[in-house]
Amino acid sequence: TGVSCGTLTSHLLSTWRREQAAPFGAGAGPGGNGMSRRWRLALGSRLEPDMVPTGAGTMEATVAPGEVLMSQAIQPAHADSRGELSAGQLLKWMDTTACLAAEKHAGISCVTASMDDILFEDTARIGQIITIRAKVTRAFSTSMEISIKVIVQDKFTGAEKLLCVAFSTFVAKPVGKEKVHLKPVPLQTEKEQVEYTLASERRKVRLQHESTYNNIMKESTRLADSVCNGEEGTATTMGTSVQSIELVLPPHANHHGNTFGGQIMAWMETVATISASRLCHGHPFLKSVDMFKFRGPSTVGDRLVFNAMVNNTFKNSVEVGVRVEAFDCQEWAEGRGRHINSAFLIYNAVDDQEEIITFPRIQPISKDDLRRYQGAIARRRIRLGRKYVISHKKEAPPSTQWDISKKESLSNANVVALKNLASRSGWEVTSTLEKIKIYTLEEQDAISVKVEKRVGSPAHTAYHLLSDFTNRPLWDPHYISCDVVDQVSEDDLIYHIICSVVDGDKPKDITVLVSRRKPLKDNDTYIVAVKSVSLPSIPASAQYIRSEVICAGFLIQAVDSSSCTVAYLNQMSDSILPYFAGNIGGWSKSIEEAAAACIKFIENAAHDGLKSVL
């Protein structure tokens, strides 16, 4: 509001404390419970989140140091037409909580610079309760990263679930000419240390976002096959354009006098939802936000013009771009606005039967359509790469226990899983070179990569070289060693692999079952399937980080008698993703480099007569 919440809270608390000092004051005296009902109502949720009145009339801490909590009961006014919590309302609450966490650490006023990597895991409905936790994960010289976590609770069952996670960047506003230098965040737990380290990685991704995006856009001319030219069932974005205007009034301002960042995000979400609904003809719901980037302030009296339009679709999701311009009275008359915010919002949608809608592919018509179309592909690629750096480095789940009595079923399941991964629909080209093409597949929380290579050697030569994993360190820089643990059969071997250090951590180790299959016919595919297994003889070691391969391997297809195509696939676990994240996101070329080394290794073996390794 136009009144500083800090001033109001301070005044109310001071008055209440004076009452507490007076004998038999409101809520004090014999049998008093500390705080009178009228002061409870007056203060409401404006009490400091780590200060809760007790029966003795004192305050005690209930949250971690530096953390800010906000709890809200979802009312009809907070919900959309389907009775679910409006994403715009939630964004307002999240921005408020994050701002208060930033100011709690900085001790001075702070403003939102950006809110990014917003992932909506679930929905909340009228009558449920949400709790928002915000805390500074790391402070730099003048800016801070704040992690935001939203939990929804059913008040009847008490069951809780994760609703949303996000990260905000706030900048401290100096007082006068005084320079700002923020104090470091005290680290008291291992979890805080992990978040502190990841905050630096996320900051690097943010800082290099623009250059990464520009590099991917330069490469986009080689991805012409991803544009659907003349396909049936395609759609254009012409009918998805939405414009709206808002006049900034005192209730829309924050305690600094500027337009409340959360309010701007809520307005942006509204126009984006309308744009998405015009394409899907259903009920769109916000799944994630690429980034809200605040480029400049606006104040009371400004006119804010919002323009939204669909950029591209990806099977069950659609990206909508929103641009915000601010005009004061004179600028409004002259038609000269200030670009103050941009964001890219990703929606899923359901029909009246609550079934997920498959979006039509977009057919770019104009040059601007093509720019926005390719830009959405670039941002999606960066988003996929960021999935690792925005999350905790989780321990790998338990691998399949190796049982020699079930070796045939485990081997067959290994091969079937790889074939199923390759046959899934939705693979999209993310990078292409002369002999190499890289695809990604995003399925809910799973990310898979496929690397196709054209190799100038016979298929059987490539098969023998790639199916013997002791050769892997000769061309793959991620492999330090690969030793045979057990030769289960002629076609199945178990290896213990040591992988290189990534992100300054310890080396990783993996125990895998490699199942090999030669084709029954000359034109069929050679298969090398890989999956993690657990062996009592190779327990986890403190020297390494135990990792897991969910499903991976090679599919080798002959082109002619002297050449073949090799496809490497990997459904990535959290422990493997660090090796691929930078490449998927566009700020590394590690996959291309490993693929090129693989091609060179196979072709040299064939051409130089190094068949002794067979």
Side-chain angles (χ1 to χ4, degrees), residues 421-461:
L421 178 60
S423 65
R424 290 176 189 169
S425 61
W427 289 98
E428 296 185 357
V429 178
T430 59
S431 179
T432 181
L433 298 175
E434 184 181 355
K435 291 185 176 183
I436 303 166
K437 188 176 287 188
I438 300 176
Y439 302 78
T440 56
L441 173 66
E442 186 179 17
E443 300 174 300
Q444 295 180 345
D445 293 332
I447 303 175
S448 301
V449 166
K450 177 169 65 175
V451 185
E452 286 187 351
K453 305 178 280 284
R454 295 202 309 272
V455 182
S457 69
H460 66 86
T461 300

Side-chain angles (χ1 to χ4, degrees), residues 246-460:
E246 297 286 350
L247 177 63
V248 180
L249 301 173
H252 303 141
N254 60 20
H255 53 302
H256 308 311
N258 294 325
T259 311
F260 174 38
Q263 179 63 71
I264 295 176
M265 289 190 282
W267 283 331
M268 294 173 75
E269 194 274 333
T270 297
V271 295
T273 301
I274 296 171
S275 177
S277 67
R278 289 182 174 176
L279 183 69
C280 70
H281 303 295
H283 303 290
F285 58 91
L286 190 60
K287 190 62 180 175
S288 65
V289 180
D290 195 77
M291 180 182 292
F292 286 108
K293 187 172 183 179
F294 291 86
R295 300 172 179 271
S298 67
T299 59
V300 172
D302 277 349
R303 291 89 174 147
L304 303 188
V305 176
F306 299 82
N307 284 287
M309 194 171 191
V310 167
N311 291 328
N312 206 343
T313 59
F314 305 97
K315 193 177 179 180
N316 294 328
S317 65
V318 56
E319 183 196 272
V320 181
V322 185
R323 177 185 173 97
V324 187
E325 292 184 319
F327 301 78
D328 61 24
C329 194
Q330 183 176 351
E331 290 167 340
W332 184 243
E334 297 173 354
R336 177 173 48 87
R338 291 168 279 124
H339 180 196
I340 64 167
N341 205 328
S342 289
F344 301 95
L345 296 82
I346 296 84
Y347 288 85
N348 294 146
V350 294
D351 59 21
D352 289 336
Q353 304 301 316
E354 296 296 315
E355 296 292 330
I356 291 290
I357 290 175
T358 299
F359 288 93
R361 291 195 68 184
I362 295 299
Q363 175 64 63
I365 302 299
S366 65
K367 287 185 178 181
D368 189 59
D369 286 346
L370 183 60
R371 177 188 60 80
R372 292 185 294 102
Y373 178 97
Q374 293 175 334
I377 295 174
R379 283 184 292 273
R380 183 171 183 265
R381 179 176 171 183
I382 296 172
R383 257 193 320 276
L384 291 176
R386 283 201 312 230
K387 278 198 171 183
Y388 165 67
V389 295
I390 67 173
S391 62
H392 290 287
K393 297 175 181 176
K394 303 174 186 175
E395 294 183 1
S399 303
T400 302
Q401 189 69 37
W402 173 251
D403 186 342
I404 190 66
S405 66
K406 300 178 180 178
K407 63 179 183 180
E408 289 186 4
S409 63
L410 290 173
S411 174
N412 289 333
N414 194 12
V415 172
V416 169
L418 179 62
K419 292 168 71 175
N420 287 342
L421 178 60
S423 65
R424 290 176 189 169
S425 61
W427 289 98
E428 296 185 357
V429 178
T430 59
S431 179
T432 181
L433 298 175
E434 184 181 355
K435 291 185 176 183
I436 303 166
K437 188 176 287 188
I438 300 176
Y439 302 78
T440 56
L441 173 66
E442 186 179 17
E443 300 174 300
Q444 295 180 345
D445 293 332
I447 303 175
S448 301
V449 166
K450 177 169 65 175
V451 185
E452 286 187 351
K453 305 178 280 284
R454 295 202 309 272
V455 182
S457 69
H460 66 86

Side-chain angles (χ1 to χ4, degrees), residues 87-209:
Q89 179 62 64
L90 179 57
L91 289 168
K92 287 199 285 187
W93 286 336
M94 290 166 63
D95 188 59
T96 299
T97 312
C99 179
L100 295 176
E103 293 182 343
K104 186 173 186 178
H105 178 81
I108 56 176
S109 296
C110 298
V111 293
T112 312
S114 67
M115 184 183 287
D116 53 18
D117 296 314
I118 309 172
L119 302 174
F120 293 89
E121 305 286 351
D122 216 314
T123 57
R125 302 191 65 84
I126 294 172
Q128 293 182 321
I129 298 167
I130 65 164
T131 300
I132 304 172
R133 291 180 173 267
K135 187 176 182 180
V136 177
T137 56
R138 185 163 185 166
F140 302 95
S141 57
T142 60
S143 65
M144 296 157 281
E145 182 196 79
I146 294 87
S147 69
I148 308 166
K149 185 177 181 180
V150 185
I151 302 295
V152 59
Q153 181 186 50
D154 187 289
K155 65 183 180 184
F156 296 106
T157 65
E160 294 184 344
K161 57 185 177 181
L162 179 65
L163 179 61
C164 177
V165 292
F167 295 91
S168 263
T169 300
F170 277 79
V171 176
K173 293 180 66 178
V175 179
K177 295 182 180 180
E178 183 180 351
K179 289 186 177 181
V180 174
H181 188 77
L182 296 170
K183 62 184 179 183
V185 175
L187 305 177
Q188 300 177 344
T189 66
E190 183 178 351
K191 180 181 178 182
E192 290 175 344
Q193 181 63 60
V194 169
E195 282 294 354
Y196 179 85
T197 302
L198 287 173
S200 180
E201 295 178 33
R202 288 187 289 263
R203 186 170 186 257
K204 290 177 183 177
V205 173
R206 292 185 192 106
L207 293 176
Q208 63 192 14
H209 180 277

Side-chain angles (χ1 to χ4, degrees), residues 27-49:
N33 64 355
M35 181 177 283
S36 69
R37 181 176 181 274
R38 73 183 175 103
W39 289 116
R40 289 176 185 270
L41 292 173
L43 287 169
S45 62
R46 293 188 182 277
L47 280 170
E48 285 293 317

Side-chain angles (χ1 to χ4, degrees), residues 3-39:
V3 180
S4 166
C5 65
T7 303
L8 176 60
T9 304
S10 177
H11 171 72
L12 289 172
L13 281 173
S14 298
T15 309
W16 171 70
R17 285 171 179 143
R18 286 198 300 272
E19 280 197 2
Q20 296 304 295
F24 300 101
N33 64 355
M35 181 177 283
S36 69
R37 181 176 181 274
R38 73 183 175 103
W39 289 116

